[in-house]
Amino acid sequence: ISDGYYTYRGDEHRIVERPLPFEKTELLERMRDALQAQPAPVYLYFVENSRSLDFDHPTCESEWFLRLKEELQPTAARNFTFADYDGFCSLFYETDHHWNAEGSYRGYTEILEMIRPGETPLAKGELIEIPAVFNGSYARLTKRMCAAETFAFYDFDIPKHTETMNGKRGTYG
């Protein structure tokens, strides 16, 4: 389509990015140094997407994930991946790099399991759909408003809780 964005296998409603090779950068080195200086555990959750995986040669762990894990040496690491292009389509919006409702729920459950093994995730609530076609950032960047899906999310029954950061109560996030 333009500037590294394309449609795959003739899928006219979906825009993806071309895979990029991993590059070690100064930012990554600064991140590594900052994380190693922290007394807290470091968790790496890498979201595989069209930038990190080649749909013609899918793999469970991209070079990006393997190299980040090697460089950052996290306490625990996991990557959000999918078996193939169809798996990718079931988890991401057609014209955006963000997860759809199903992808975000899976990401939440995997991160929870990585950080708090055995913790029971909240159950999916009602699926709420906004009755308008959702053209995401890829559509806006390429000026190709081609999506055929709506924006949707799960409504959760979040139990009463107290939020703290560094021992200080407040509202975060």
Side-chain angles (χ1 to χ4, degrees):
I1 299 171
S2 73
D3 243 2
Y5 296 93
Y6 68 107
T7 59
Y8 184 76
R9 285 196 292 184
D11 187 345
E12 291 301 317
H13 293 291
R14 184 170 297 277
I15 300 172
V16 295
E17 290 185 79
R18 295 203 186 287
L20 299 172
F22 178 86
E23 291 182 21
K24 190 172 176 178
T25 64
E26 185 182 320
L27 173 62
L28 177 59
E29 290 174 5
R30 286 196 322 259
M31 253 175 53
R32 180 198 60 220
D33 294 344
L35 290 172
Q36 288 176 347
Q38 297 299 314
V42 173
Y43 297 93
L44 170 65
Y45 188 74
F46 183 75
V47 180
E48 303 283 7
N49 61 28
S50 61
R51 275 179 259 163
S52 63
L53 289 177
D54 181 346
F55 295 130
D56 291 326
H57 305 95
T59 176
C60 290
E61 295 181 328
S62 70
E63 179 186 7
W64 282 81
F65 175 64
L66 295 173
R67 296 283 302 276
L68 285 171
K69 194 164 62 167
E70 178 184 310
E71 289 292 324
L72 301 177
Q73 297 291 304
T75 305
R78 185 163 182 172
N79 67 333
F80 180 96
T81 193
F82 35 85
D84 54 23
Y85 179 72
D86 293 330
F88 168 79
C89 292
S90 71
L91 300 166
F92 289 84
Y93 281 107
E94 291 174 338
T95 60
D96 200 83
H97 59 283
H98 288 100
W99 294 322
N100 60 23
E102 205 55 47
S104 64
Y105 185 75
R106 188 176 127 195
Y108 152 68
T109 61
E110 289 179 359
I111 292 168
L112 180 64
E113 180 60 30
M114 180 176 63
I115 295 173
R116 306 261 326 244
E119 182 87 12
T120 302
L122 296 173
K124 291 179 193 173
E126 177 186 0
L127 182 67
I128 309 292
E129 290 189 60
I130 307 299
V133 172
F134 175 65
N135 280 294
S137 61
Y138 294 166
R140 290 189 305 276
L141 287 167
T142 62
K143 297 181 179 23
R144 189 166 190 268
M145 302 301 183
C146 61
E149 67 186 345
T150 59
F151 184 83
F153 58 92
Y154 289 110
D155 186 22
F156 291 93
D157 185 16
I158 299 174
K160 187 172 174 71
H161 62 282
T162 302
E163 297 177 23
T164 62
M165 183 180 286
N166 299 325
K168 185 176 178 183
R169 290 175 62 153
T171 302
Y172 303 98

